[in-house]
Amino acid sequence: MERNLLKTLQSWKNSTHRKPLIIHGARQVGKSWLVEHFGRSEFEQLLTINFELQPKYCSCFASLDPKEIIAGIELNANATIMQGSTLLFLDEIQACPGALRSLRYFYENIPDLHVIAAGSLIEFLLNADDFSHPVGRVSSYYLNPLTYGEFLSACGENKLRTFLQQLSLSSPTDPVHEKCSNLLRTYFYLGGMPEAVAYWISSGSFNQNDEILQNLLQNYRNDFGKYGKKINIPLLEKVYTRAPAQVGARLKYVNVDEQVASRDIRSAVDLLSKAQIMHKIHAVPGCGLPLGANIKDRIFKLLFLDIGLLQNSMGIGKETRLS
């Protein structure tokens, strides 16, 4: 699948002011696939370390000296890391805090080595009281589910995507209106999670998409215990379940649960936002620039991570889509 961020990664590779890169994003939006696709197509060698599947590599980061780290990785992987031609991919980096700390020293001591880190729930590690973030020594990009444009490219509809990008008020739309409407309706049901889109493209069927989306929703629930040591999981589950019904409207905590203190619900919303499952859209009066100077922190709407997941969480399945 062609992702918009790929062009940004190509520019990052060739930049003379390149820093180690962290790709943020919720689980299963395609971070690992994107980096590995980029590494295989743009570098002579791709070396991937997944700290959840290969915890032995955490010992290589006991030292923050990049040369010692590289030596340990080479011995464990039986590989040679070459500056300029190797992409070192540190996946699920939240499972190895030492690796995240070391990124600043890669920038300072081995600037010619291409290093990309990715992982889910990185924000919880970066915001921990005892963690020192490498400010100014790393770059950060964010990956979200497929946009409608990316969905069109995944379907092989590149000409249609180009047409829509160049569309003006005077452009004739009658010949493609029905086609665009059908594809948009499909996108609204599937959403942009790569697994759901890939299944539909390969099978041409909606038969298993509800199951795929339900499994993705459950996977996010399974992560709640990783948000911290003192987490009210039942309350988090309640917010996670009820917030989608309020998408598009100002969130009022009383509509989530009138028996729970607003500060507790606000804390749960903040956790889900930090995990990038939901996004806060704050109100601004629009009385001048910059808009952010007058943002209203207490007045906001919520957007769910993905439109397909949102609808599935509300019981809108393939029967509704096909009716």
Side-chain angles (χ1 to χ4, degrees):
M1 296 181 183
E2 181 181 342
R3 304 302 305 267
N4 295 337
L5 191 57
L6 183 59
K7 293 181 180 178
T8 305
L9 294 180
Q10 292 167 340
S11 298
W12 168 82
K13 176 195 174 187
N14 298 319
S15 173
T16 56
H17 301 288
R18 181 184 59 254
K19 301 175 182 178
L21 174 63
I22 301 176
I23 297 183
H24 303 255
R27 284 198 182 277
Q28 301 182 53
V29 295
K31 300 184 297 297
S32 299
W33 179 92
L34 174 64
V35 176
E36 292 189 340
H37 172 72
F38 170 65
R40 287 191 294 268
S41 60
E42 298 287 338
F43 292 85
E44 294 179 19
Q45 179 189 31
L46 167 68
L47 181 55
T48 300
I49 297 174
N50 185 310
F51 290 107
E52 287 190 348
L53 299 177
Q54 301 164 298
K56 66 178 182 180
Y57 282 98
C58 288
S59 63
C60 298
F61 293 86
S63 167
L64 294 179
D65 184 343
K67 294 181 180 179
E68 293 183 15
I69 293 171
I70 293 301
I73 292 174
E74 289 179 330
L75 290 173
N76 276 278
N78 190 27
T80 300
I81 297 175
M82 299 167 288
Q83 298 182 42
S85 59
T86 297
L87 174 62
L88 178 60
F89 178 30
L90 306 177
D91 200 9
E92 301 297 351
I93 197 171
Q94 76 281 351
C96 183
L100 196 54
R101 290 190 184 95
S102 74
L103 293 181
R104 65 169 298 171
Y105 300 104
F106 277 93
Y107 170 71
E108 294 171 353
N109 299 332
I110 315 181
D112 291 331
L113 179 62
H114 294 77
V115 182
I116 296 181
S120 308
L121 310 182
I122 293 179
E123 279 66 25
F124 291 91
L125 178 58
L126 293 176
N127 287 281
D129 294 336
D130 59 347
F131 187 83
S132 177
H133 181 52
V135 177
R137 296 296 185 268
V138 298
S139 300
S140 293
Y141 296 149
Y142 290 81
L143 185 67
N144 295 306
L146 276 73
T147 64
Y148 180 57
E150 290 174 321
F151 170 74
L152 290 177
S153 293
C155 296
E157 296 287 351
N158 290 299
K159 286 187 177 181
L160 181 59
R161 181 180 186 182
T162 302
F163 170 79
L164 293 176
Q165 290 172 335
Q166 299 173 349
L167 193 65
S168 67
L169 292 177
S170 60
S171 300
T173 59
D174 290 346
V176 297
H177 176 74
E178 184 176 356
K179 182 177 184 178
C180 289
S181 297
N182 288 335
L183 285 168
L184 184 61
R185 189 173 183 224
T186 298
Y187 175 72
F188 282 170
Y189 164 61
L190 291 175
M193 298 302 286
E195 183 181 358
V197 174
Y199 171 78
W200 178 74
I201 291 174
S202 63
S203 68
S205 169
F206 295 102
N207 288 340
Q208 293 186 25
N209 277 98
D210 287 344
E211 181 181 348
I212 290 172
L213 294 174
Q214 281 295 318
N215 287 337
L216 290 171
L217 289 168
Q218 185 58 49
N219 287 341
Y220 290 126
R221 291 187 181 92
N222 294 340
D223 276 343
F224 289 167
K226 301 177 182 178
Y227 288 8
K229 296 180 179 178
K230 298 180 180 179
I231 299 298
N232 186 338
I233 292 180
L235 178 57
L236 205 58
E237 172 74 25
K238 183 173 291 186
V239 174
Y240 178 73
T241 301
R242 295 188 179 181
Q246 302 187 51
V247 165
R250 176 184 173 182
L251 180 68
K252 297 182 178 180
Y253 298 131
V254 68
N255 292 337
V256 176
D257 192 327
E258 61 183 11
Q259 303 298 322
V260 178
S262 295
R263 65 177 180 275
D264 295 331
I265 298 177
R266 180 171 61 248
S267 176
V269 170
D270 289 342
L271 288 171
L272 291 170
S273 299
K274 194 178 294 184
Q276 301 188 54
I277 295 175
M278 297 179 184
H279 302 284
K280 289 183 177 181
I281 309 298
H282 290 276
V284 293
C287 57
L289 296 175
L291 293 176
N294 299 300
I295 193 171
K296 296 182 179 295
D297 290 328
R298 296 186 178 184
I299 303 177
F300 61 89
K301 299 178 181 180
L302 283 180
L303 292 183
F304 207 71
L305 167 67
D306 173 70
I307 189 171
L309 292 174
L310 168 65
Q311 296 198 91
N312 195 273
S313 71
M314 297 302 299
I316 301 176
K318 66 177 182 293
E319 293 82 4
T320 305
R321 191 267 172 215
L322 296 172
S323 62

